[in-house]
C-alpha cells in the first residue's frame, strides 16, 4: 500500500510506477469512477490467489480497501495535514490509521518526508521508530539559494508591479531565456480573497456561515462570490449589498497572479493548478505532464504544487505573500509553514543545477532572539534539575520584573516549586508547552506577544532533543 496526501501527486507517481510494475499497480482515490473503484476492490479480494501480487497507490481512502496479506505500507509526505480528515465523518488521521492497520497485518511501515512532523521526530528520539537519513539530494544536487524580498521596502522605491517585484521579474526573464521553468506559490485560490465596500467598509460574507466571500472570475469574464467554507455561490454585481457603494477586490489569489504573469511575460506558456482547476481530472493530469515535459514555462498554484513533485527543468521557485502562511490561527502554524516552505524549496534544482528560492514577505519573519533562547534554556535547566516542578518563575518575585509562565501574573512565588495555581506543568513526558500563550515580560512596558509561540516551540524542541539525557 503506497499512500500519498493528494490526488495530484498520485498522477506523476502513477506514470512512473506503472513502468516498473505494469501488472501489479492499482490506483484508488476519489478521482476514480465508481466502476474503477469496484474493479480495484474486486482485484484486491482475489489478491494472493494464483500468485498474483498487488501494489495499491492511493490517498487516505485506500486504507479501507479489502487488503489481504499486506506486507508493506509506504506513507509518502507523512507530515502532510491532508492525511487527516475532519469533514465529513468518519474523522480520522490517515497516517495513524495506516500504521495501526500495518500492525494488525504485521506489515512493515515506511514514513517518508523531507520535513517530518514533530510527532515522528519525537518517536524517533525515544526509539519507537527507526531513523534513516538521506544526506544527499537527488542527483547529488546542491541546496538552492534563498532570496528574501521585502515588499514594503520595494513599494517605497517603486519596485513592485502588482504582485511581482522588479527583481523577481528579472529573475524570471533570465530563467526563461535559459529555457528553464518557474513555479510560483500563492497560498490563496480565487481572483481576490476578499472584497470591501469603498463607502461603508462592509466586507460581504456568506449568509450561511459568516465567512468572508472570495471573488472568482469565470472563463467568460463574468465574476461571482464564493464561500470557501460551505461552497455557496453568490452573483457579483460590484455593488455593496448594504449601501450600494462600489466593491473593491483586496489582495491577489492564484487567478489574479496568473493574469498578471500573462501580462508581464507575454511570450511564456503559463498554467494554473489549484483546487478550482484540479476538479477536472483531465486538466490536472495534462498540466502536470506538460510541466514535467517542459511544455509549460510558468506554473502558478496553491500548496498542492509543493508536494513531492519532481520536475527536471525547474530552477526558480517563488512564494508570494509568505506572511499569510505563517500568520494562520493555529498553534502549529510555524511548524507547518516551515514544512511547506522547505518542501517548496526542494522542488527546484533537482538535476544538478543550483536553484533559486525567492520569498516575498512584508513583516519581519518570526525569529527567536538570543534573549528568548536564554529564557527558554533557563526554563529547561530549572525544570530538569527538580523532580517535582509545578511552577517556573524567572526574575525577582518581589518586583515581578521577570517572566511569569503562568496564567495569573499576580501569583509569582520565589524559587522553583510550590503548589499554587499558575505556571507550566512539566509532566514525566515533558508535555507540549505550545499551548501556554500568556507569557509576559513585565519589565517597563515591554510585552511579548508575537514571539510567544516561538518561545514555546524552542522549549519544546529543546525538551525533545534532550529528553533521553
Amino acid at each position: 500500500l503506497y499512500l500519498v496526501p493528494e490526488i495530484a501527486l498520485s498522477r506523476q507517481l502513477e506514470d512512473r510506477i506503472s513502468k516498473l510494475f505494469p501488472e501489479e499497480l492499482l490506483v484508488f482515490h476519489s478521482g476514480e469512477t465508481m466502476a474503477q473503484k469496484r474493479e480495484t476492490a474486486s482485484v484486491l479480494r482475489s489478491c494472493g490467489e494464483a500468485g498474483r501480487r498487488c501494489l495499491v497507490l492511493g490517498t487516505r481512502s485506500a486504507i479501507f480497501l479489502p487488503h489481504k496479506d499486506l506486507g508493506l505500507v509506504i506513507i509518502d509526505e507523512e507530515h502532510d495535514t491532508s492525511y487527516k480528515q475532519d469533514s465529513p465523518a468518519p474523522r480520522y488521521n490517515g497516517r495513524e490509521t495506516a500504521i495501526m492497520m500495518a500492525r494488525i497485518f504485521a506489515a512493515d511501515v515506511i514514513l517518508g518526508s523531507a520535513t517530518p512532523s514533530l510527532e515522528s521526530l519525537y518517536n524517533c528520539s525515544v526509539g519507537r521508530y527507526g531513523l534513516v537519513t538521506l544526506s544527499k539530494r537527488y542527483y547529488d544536487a546542491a541546496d538552492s539559494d534563498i532570496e528574501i524580498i521585502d515588499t514594503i521596502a520595494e513599494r517605497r522605491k517603486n519596485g513592485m508591479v502588482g504582485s511581482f517585484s522588479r527583481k523577481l521579474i528579472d529573475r524570471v526573464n533570465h530563467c526563461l531565456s535559459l529555457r528553464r521553468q518557474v513555479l510560483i506559490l500563492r497560498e490563496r485560490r480565487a481572483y481576490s480573497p476578499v472584497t470591501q465596500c469603498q463607502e461603508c467598509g462592509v466586507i460581504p460574507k456568506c449568509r450561511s456561515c459568516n465567512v468572508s466571500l472570495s471573488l472568482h472570475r469565470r472563463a467568460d469574464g463574468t465574476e461571482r462570490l464564493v464561500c470557501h467554507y460551505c461552497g455557496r455561490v453568490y452573483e457579483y454585481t460590484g455593488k455593496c449589498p448594504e449601501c450600494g457603494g462600489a466593491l473593491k477586490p483586496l489582495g491577489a489569489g492564484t487567478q489574479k497572479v496568473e493574469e498578471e504573469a500573462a501580462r508581464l511575460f507575454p511570450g511564456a506558456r503559463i498554467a494554473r493548478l489549484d483546487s478550482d482547476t484540479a476538479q477536472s481530472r483531465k486538466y490536472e493530469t495534462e498540466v502536470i505532464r506538460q510541466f514535467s515535459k517542459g511544455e509549460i514555462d510558468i506554473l502558478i498554484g496553491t500548496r498542492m504544487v509543493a508536494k513531492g513533485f519532481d520536475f527536471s527543468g525547474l530552477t526558480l521557485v517563488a512564494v508570494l505573500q509568505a506572511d499569510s502562511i505563517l500568520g494562520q490561527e493555529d498553534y502549529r502554524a510555524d511548524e507547518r509553514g516551515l514544512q511547506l516552505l522547505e518542501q517548496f524549496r526542494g522542488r527546484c534544482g533537482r538535476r544538478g543545477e543550483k536553484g533559486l528560492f525567492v520569498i516575498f514577505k512584508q513583516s519581519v519573519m518570526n525569529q527567536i532572539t538570543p534573549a528568548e533562547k536564554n529564557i527558554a534554556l533557563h526554563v529547561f535547566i530549572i525544570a530538569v534539575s527538580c523532580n517535582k516542578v509545578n511552577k517556573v518563575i524567572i526574575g525577582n518575585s518581589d518586583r515581578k520584573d521577570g517572566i511569569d509562565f503562568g496564567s495569573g501574573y499576580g501569583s509569582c512565588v520565589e524559587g522553583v516549586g510550590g503548589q499554587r495555581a499558575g505556571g507550566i506543568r512539566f509532566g514525566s513526558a515533558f508535555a507540549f508547552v505550545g499551548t501556554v500563550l500568556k507569557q509576559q515580560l513585565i519589565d517597563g512596558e515591554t510585552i511579548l506577544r508575537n514571539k510567544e509561540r516561538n518561545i514555546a516551540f524552542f522549549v519544546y524542541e529543546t525538551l525533545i532533543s534532550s529528553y533521553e539525557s
Side-chain angles (χ1 to χ4, degrees), residues 203-224:
I203 296 176
K205 295 185 177 182
C206 179
R207 292 193 292 267
S208 299
C209 49
N210 201 35
V211 173
S212 300
L213 299 174
S214 299
L215 179 63
H216 286 248
R217 182 167 291 180
R218 298 186 179 95
D220 58 2
T222 59
E223 297 173 324
R224 57 179 179 166

Side-chain angles (χ1 to χ4, degrees), residues 427-463:
S428 59
F430 293 121
F432 180 53
V433 296
T435 57
V436 181
L437 299 178
K438 292 186 177 180
Q439 306 164 359
Q440 288 189 349
L441 175 61
I442 313 175
D443 184 6
E445 296 182 354
T446 304
I447 299 177
L448 294 179
R449 289 178 178 174
N450 296 332
K451 307 293 175 60
E452 291 167 351
R453 289 182 306 177
N454 304 56
I455 295 177
F457 270 108
F458 183 81
V459 173
Y460 178 65
E461 292 170 355
T462 306
L463 295 173

